[in-house]
């Protein structure tokens, strides 16, 4: 695809002006040129993507505030039938298209493309208003940042400080790519104090894959690690994928019941590629769960599965097949051509001088290339990435390396391994680096850490974890046990089936997420998978634990970021008991109960909005008869009186100046005077629980 006449040669001075370079006069002109121009096509594509996201998010907000089932059905049907139902939004508005330079933090350097002439003092996105049966867009200044770079030596570096990238080879298997990986790993080990582990910090795995005979015999052997030895080894993080390769599984079972010597040529591509890379990086040992744990031996799986955290924490390097959906995919030859990810554009500096900008039409950064690949959707991989000291990602476009000291990518002009302290997102600057890192694994400057110092930080990890896929629901707590064990050393309190005794009211304040494809993880908006939350049909956690649910959860209370004084607990912990399976103190449970002293009150269901969020302004304006809202763990339209147990008082309400509100759990009575959780919510009548005494209550 070529470029249109306007994009073919941009002008530096206009790009630096307040409004920027006038690309097209109106939307029809932009849309017409998008058929032949890669830049115009990108702007159109991003505009539609932004439109859909804004529209659906606004619908999601409206759904959360709905009180009428008819209104709920109307909006939801409208969204499903035609996400572009209001696509005439640009009619009657200024839809001229402009691009201008934007400078700032690393991720913000680029060209800002916007539809509608932009008031430089207002960089807000589209604003929507509900009109009874549709949303209307009041401000059509739709903006997108087009990231660009220049090659080393480009004269533009003299005029301003644009990002610089170097051309990279066409495959991950190229000698230059492997050389970069070798240099960055060796440099980290030599220079980064924060990535070094004390000797013998963790016991090694029971077995390791030996690569010593690979070149001579074409085989790899699974060897038992001798007592007292501390071999240096790498690990692999990958997706097994479905359907399974029956021929490989049959061969695998045969080998694991016999010699434990694998023919390299018989292995799936992803495993072969991992062995090749580790060998090229001069490691003699590799740990892969499918090969080093006896899959037919449940006792061996329980023993080694419980030590998974130690295995990843004790490795020197983790290879991550970030964009492989299946073991048969392989990753060494899997690289999109760099030229397919960029659009070179001539930039006129003055009457006699031109240069070249290279626009990214694909996100080749860590976030777009590695952090959101198939592996990032696997529940097990969350703790693998956090526990391993170093991670080498094989992305779709290039290599990425992350450790406790920073993140680096292969296309950087030179390898400077000086520890990084900055963060990609300016809007997160008010947070302390450690907190930001744990709230947002993508935006932090270094690898997400394994330790947590507060319950809210743990809950942020849980919010991420619960959006991921888990093949066996029975592993819900096991796949997070390593991080739980690390957290216990800092929090110094009992671990109650995924919830901590410390700040118990915060840990119990989870709610299922059902909005239209969106959820929040520590104030960061994420696109969730299409999961319908439901409680597990087989027991794996008590009803009051998030681990009893399948699907994403978020938390109603937070005690980080200077907000601890705004949340007052209404619980007094009394007792708990937990029966564990053989997977360790932080693994699977077979039974658990919790006794607390709290205020419990029966609330008529008609007084609370079901499965919807009622905002304080609705309560204060008396526009609703409800005094609050609740979200059921499993939707069932409860009737009659609801048993509500107060968790905490949120003293600042929805925003500063608002009246305090009550966060509570909805319970169902069971025989034996015990209760199970069935939902959570908020009552906006501040004094609603004032006349209720504290009583002991046991949750199961």
């Amino acid at each position: 695809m070529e470029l249109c006449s306007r994009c073919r040669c941009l002008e530096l001075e206009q790009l630096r002006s307040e409004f920027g370079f006038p690309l097209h006069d109106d939307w029809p002109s932009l849309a017409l040129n998008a058929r032949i121009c890669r830049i115009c096509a990108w702007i159109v594509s991003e505009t539609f993507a932004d439109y859909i996201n804004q529209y659906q998010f606004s619908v999601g907000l409206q759904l959360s505030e709905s009180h009428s089932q008819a209104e709920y059905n109307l909006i939801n049907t409208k969204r499903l039938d035609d996400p572009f139902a209001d696509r005439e939004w640009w009619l009657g508005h200024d839809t001229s298209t402009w691009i201008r330079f934007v400078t700032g933090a690393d991720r913000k350097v680029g060209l800002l493309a916007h539809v509608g002439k932009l008031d430089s003092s207002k960089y807000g996105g589209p604003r929507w208003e509900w009109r009874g049966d549709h949303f209307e867009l009041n401000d059509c200044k739709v903006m997108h940042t087009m990231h660009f770079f220049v090659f080393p030596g480009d004269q533009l570096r003299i005029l301003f400080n644009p990002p610089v990238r170097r051309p990279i080879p066409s495959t991950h298997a190229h000698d230059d790519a492997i050389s970069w990986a070798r240099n960055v790993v060796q440099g980290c080990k030599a220079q980064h104090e924060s990535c070094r582990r004390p000797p013998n910090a963790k016991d090694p795995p029971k077995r390791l894959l030996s690569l010593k005979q690979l070149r001579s015999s074409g085989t790899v052997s699974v060897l038992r690690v001798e007592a007292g030895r501390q071999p240096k080894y790498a690990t692999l993080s990958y997706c097994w994928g479905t359907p399974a390769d029956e021929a490989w599984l049959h061969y695998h079972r045969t080998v694991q019941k016999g010699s434990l010597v694998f023919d390299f040529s018989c292995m799936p591509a992803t495993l072969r590629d991992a062995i090749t890379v580790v060998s090229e990086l001069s490691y003699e040992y590799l740990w892969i769960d499918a090969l080093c744990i006896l899959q037919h031996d449940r006792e061996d799986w329980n023993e080694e599965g419980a030590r998974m955290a130690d295995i990843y924490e004790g490795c020197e390097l983790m290879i991550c097949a970030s964009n492989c959906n299946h073991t048969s995919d392989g990753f060494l030859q899997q690289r999109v051509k760099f030229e397919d990810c960029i659009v070179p554009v001539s930039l006129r500096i003055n009457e006699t001088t031109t240069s070249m900008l290279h626009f990214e039409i694909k996100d080749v950064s860590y976030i777009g290339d590695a952090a959101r690949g198939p592996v990032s959707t696997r529940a097990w991989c969350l703790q693998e990435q956090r526990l391993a000291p170093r991670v080498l990602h094989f992305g779709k476009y290039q290599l990425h390396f992350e450790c406790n000291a920073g993140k680096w990518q292969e296309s950087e002009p030179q390898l400077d391994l000086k520890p990084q302290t900055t963060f990609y997102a300016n809007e997160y600057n008010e947070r302390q680096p450690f907190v930001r890192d744990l709230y947002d694994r993508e935006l932090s400057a270094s690898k997400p850490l394994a330790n947590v110092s507060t319950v809210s930080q743990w809950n942020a990890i849980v919010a991420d974890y619960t959006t991921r896929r888990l093949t066996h629901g029975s592993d819900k707590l096991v796949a997070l046990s390593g991080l739980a064990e690390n957290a216990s050393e800092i929090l110094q309190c009992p671990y109650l089936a995924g919830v901590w005794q410390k700040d118990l009211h915060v840990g119990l304040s989870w709610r299922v997420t059902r909005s239209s494809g969106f959820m929040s993880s520590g104030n960061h908006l994420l696109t969730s998978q299409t999961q319908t939350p439901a409680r597990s049909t087989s027991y794996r956690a008590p009803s009051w634990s998030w681990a009893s649910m399948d699907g994403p959860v978020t938390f109603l209370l937070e005690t980080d970021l200077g907000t601890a004084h705004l949340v007052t607990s209404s619980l007094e912990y009394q007792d708990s008991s937990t029966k564990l399976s053989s997977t360790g103190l932080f693994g699977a449970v077979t039974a658990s109960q919790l006794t607390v002293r709290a205020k419990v009150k029966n609330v008529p269901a008609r007084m609370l909005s079901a499965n919807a969020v009622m905002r304080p302004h609705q309560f204060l304006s008396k526009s609703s008869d409800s005094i609050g809202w609740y979200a059921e763990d499993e939707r069932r339209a409860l009737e009659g009186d609801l048993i509500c147990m107060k968790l905490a008082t949120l003293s600042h309400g929805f925003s500063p100046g608002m009246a305090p509100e009550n966060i509570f759990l909805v319970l169902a009575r069971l025989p034996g005077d015990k209760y199970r959780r069935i939902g959570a919510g908020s009552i906006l009548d501040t004094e609603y629980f004032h006349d209720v005494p504290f009583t002991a209550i046991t949750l199961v």
Side-chain angles (χ1 to χ4, degrees):
M1 183 182 288
E2 301 296 330
L3 298 178
C4 67
S5 59
R6 296 297 294 165
C7 293
R8 201 167 292 146
C9 187
L10 306 179
E11 297 180 9
L12 179 62
E13 287 307 314
Q14 284 188 288
L15 289 176
R16 283 176 156 177
S17 64
E18 181 182 6
F19 291 115
F21 182 82
L23 204 60
H24 294 289
D25 294 335
D26 51 37
W27 177 266
S29 177
L30 175 65
L32 181 64
N33 280 278
R35 299 177 184 178
I36 61 168
C37 176
R38 296 175 77 186
I39 290 184
C40 292
W42 183 89
I43 295 174
V44 169
S45 172
E46 292 298 302
T47 300
F48 273 118
D50 183 81
Y51 169 77
I52 293 174
N53 288 341
Q54 289 286 342
Y55 179 78
Q56 291 191 352
F57 180 55
S58 297
V59 168
L61 290 179
Q62 181 63 29
L63 291 181
S64 71
E65 296 181 355
S66 295
H67 298 253
S68 162
Q69 188 65 37
E71 182 177 300
Y72 177 98
N73 292 337
L74 174 66
I75 306 170
N76 205 36
T77 300
K78 189 178 184 66
R79 175 179 67 85
L80 293 175
D81 287 350
D82 185 4
F84 290 103
D86 294 319
R87 61 178 171 267
E88 66 276 6
W89 61 267
W90 51 76
L91 298 179
H93 294 278
D94 175 10
T95 58
S96 55
T97 308
W98 302 68
I99 54 178
R100 63 184 293 271
F101 273 124
V102 178
T103 59
D106 289 345
R107 289 292 299 162
K108 295 296 184 182
V109 174
L111 290 190
L112 182 71
H114 54 276
V115 179
K117 200 162 187 176
L118 186 66
D119 178 355
S120 60
S121 66
K122 298 177 182 178
Y123 285 165
R127 294 198 299 269
W128 300 83
E129 278 192 16
W130 177 245
R131 296 299 187 186
D133 62 349
H134 72 284
F135 281 100
E136 182 173 304
L137 189 67
N138 288 334
D139 187 346
C140 66
K141 298 178 179 68
V142 183
M143 294 162 287
H144 317 284
T145 302
M146 294 191 295
H147 298 293
F148 68 87
F149 62 89
V150 299
F151 287 131
D154 195 292
Q155 59 186 316
L156 282 176
R157 298 191 67 183
I158 302 173
L159 301 175
F160 61 104
N161 190 30
V164 180
R165 300 242 176 112
R166 66 182 181 88
I168 58 175
S170 57
T171 71
H172 291 314
H174 194 280
D175 288 346
D176 289 349
I178 298 298
S179 177
W180 182 87
R182 185 181 299 111
N183 290 338
V184 75
V185 172
Q186 292 176 351
C188 170
K189 289 193 289 185
Q191 300 177 37
H192 296 159
E193 191 69 34
S194 61
C195 301
R196 293 174 188 160
R197 303 292 171 86
N200 306 329
K202 297 290 181 181
D203 290 334
K206 182 191 294 186
R207 303 177 191 87
L208 285 170
L209 197 64
S210 173
L211 314 184
K212 294 180 180 180
Q213 303 300 319
L214 177 61
R215 297 185 188 278
S216 60
S217 66
T219 62
V220 292
S221 305
V222 178
L223 302 179
R224 185 142 188 152
V225 179
E226 298 175 3
R229 287 198 62 199
Q230 291 286 336
K232 296 178 180 180
Y233 63 93
T235 57
L236 173 66
S237 185
Y238 66 108
C239 288
W240 182 259
T242 54
D245 183 338
E246 291 300 329
W248 158 250
L249 289 180
H250 176 73
Y251 174 73
H252 177 265
R253 283 191 293 266
T254 302
V255 172
Q256 282 212 329
K257 291 180 180 180
S259 65
L260 293 180
V261 177
F262 287 91
D263 186 335
F264 179 76
S265 64
C266 294
M267 304 176 78
T270 297
L271 305 192
R272 290 201 310 269
D273 288 351
I275 291 171
T276 299
V277 169
V278 169
S279 179
E280 290 286 344
L281 297 180
S282 302
Y283 288 97
E284 294 183 349
Y285 299 101
L286 172 64
W287 188 87
I288 301 177
D289 56 356
L291 305 184
C292 298
I293 299 177
L294 301 180
Q295 302 298 305
H296 60 278
D297 187 332
R298 190 63 191 176
E299 182 178 345
D300 192 65
W301 169 254
N302 286 340
E303 180 184 343
E304 288 298 277
R307 297 191 58 249
M308 203 82 78
D310 287 351
I311 292 171
Y312 280 97
E313 196 167 3
C315 76
E316 284 217 345
L317 172 69
M318 186 177 85
I319 302 296
C320 188
S322 305
N323 275 283
C324 290
N325 287 290
H326 197 282
T327 52
S328 63
D329 288 348
F331 55 81
L332 280 183
Q333 303 299 329
Q334 188 189 74
R335 178 179 276 188
V336 177
K337 291 182 179 179
F338 203 59
E339 55 266 29
D340 292 340
C341 308
I342 62 174
V343 179
V345 176
S346 177
L347 177 66
R348 186 161 60 192
I349 299 175
N350 52 47
E351 293 183 358
T352 60
T353 309
T354 60
S355 188
M356 295 296 293
L357 293 179
H358 299 84
F359 288 99
E360 296 180 3
I361 57 173
K362 303 289 186 182
D363 188 354
V364 300
S365 69
Y366 167 81
I367 294 177
D369 194 25
R372 296 176 181 171
V375 167
S376 70
T377 67
R378 279 192 63 226
W380 277 100
C381 292
L382 185 147
Q383 74 168 7
E384 292 172 6
Q385 181 184 4
R386 287 180 178 270
L387 291 167
R390 304 170 188 89
V391 182
L392 180 62
H393 292 273
F394 285 79
K396 189 181 299 182
Y397 307 112
Q398 61 177 319
L399 295 177
H400 305 266
F401 178 81
E402 58 176 337
C403 63
N404 293 337
K407 294 175 181 172
W408 292 267
Q409 60 189 27
E410 185 185 354
S411 61
E412 291 173 355
Q414 58 186 16
L415 187 57
D416 181 1
L417 290 173
K418 182 172 62 177
Q420 300 172 355
T421 57
T422 57
F423 285 76
Y424 289 135
N426 280 344
E427 60 267 29
Y428 287 78
N429 280 349
E430 72 276 9
R431 292 180 171 173
Q432 295 300 315
F434 186 66
V435 176
R436 280 183 303 201
D437 170 73
L438 287 160
Y439 265 86
D440 199 315
R441 62 192 173 91
E442 296 177 352
L443 294 176
S444 63
S446 62
K447 186 182 72 64
L449 301 178
N451 298 329
V452 301
S453 59
T454 70
V455 169
S456 285
Q457 290 170 355
W458 171 261
N459 290 347
I461 291 176
V462 168
D464 180 351
Y465 177 74
T466 55
T467 66
R468 299 173 177 233
R469 292 183 291 105
L470 196 61
T471 303
H472 303 290
S474 57
D475 292 336
K476 192 78 171 187
L477 289 169
V478 180
L480 208 59
S481 60
L483 294 180
E485 184 175 358
N486 280 16
S488 71
E489 297 176 4
I490 299 175
L491 296 177
Q492 291 290 304
C493 68
Y495 182 64
L496 312 174
V499 179
W500 299 98
Q501 180 184 320
K502 181 180 180 181
D503 289 342
L504 183 61
H505 57 296
V506 179
L508 295 178
S509 71
W510 56 270
R511 58 161 292 192
V512 298
T513 302
R514 279 195 187 85
S515 61
S516 57
F518 291 89
M519 65 171 200
S520 174
S521 174
N523 296 334
H524 178 51
L525 194 65
L526 303 172
T527 303
S528 68
Q529 299 179 49
T530 54
Q531 288 180 285
T532 300
R535 185 159 272 118
S536 173
T537 55
S538 58
Y539 186 91
R540 66 173 181 236
S543 66
W544 42 267
S545 169
W546 55 265
S548 67
M549 301 297 298
D550 290 318
V553 303
T554 56
F555 290 81
L556 296 173
L557 296 174
E558 180 181 294
T559 55
D560 274 344
L561 316 179
T563 62
H565 65 287
L566 301 175
V567 178
T568 304
S569 174
S570 298
L571 293 181
E572 180 185 322
Y573 172 84
Q574 285 202 314
D575 191 25
S576 63
S577 64
T578 300
K579 293 182 179 180
L580 298 164
S581 71
S582 59
T583 54
L585 294 176
F586 303 95
V589 303
T590 57
S592 185
Q593 69 178 36
L594 171 67
T595 302
V596 297
R597 282 178 54 80
K599 293 187 173 186
V600 180
K601 189 171 185 177
N602 288 350
V603 181
R606 59 179 173 77
M607 297 177 65
L608 299 173
S609 300
N611 301 308
V613 177
M614 189 180 82
R615 305 298 181 189
H617 68 268
Q618 296 170 303
F619 170 68
L620 295 174
S621 65
K622 306 299 182 183
S623 61
S624 169
D625 294 332
S626 298
I627 62 170
W629 60 273
Y630 70 95
E632 295 169 285
D633 298 341
E634 299 176 276
R635 185 164 291 181
R636 62 188 68 194
L638 300 175
E639 297 179 351
D641 286 351
L642 305 181
I643 304 173
C644 296
M645 183 186 81
K646 184 177 177 182
L647 285 181
T649 299
L650 196 58
S651 64
H652 64 294
F654 180 69
S655 61
M658 302 296 291
E661 57 186 87
N662 304 286
I663 305 299
F664 65 89
L665 299 185
V666 184
L667 309 176
R669 189 188 301 272
L670 299 175
D673 202 27
K674 295 181 179 179
Y675 295 81
R676 65 183 175 90
R677 175 197 152 121
I678 57 175
S682 172
I683 289 179
L684 303 173
D685 184 343
T686 301
E687 299 184 354
Y688 195 75
F689 286 92
H690 279 17
D691 60 345
V692 182
F694 281 87
T695 184
I697 188 165
T698 299
L699 308 175
V700 295

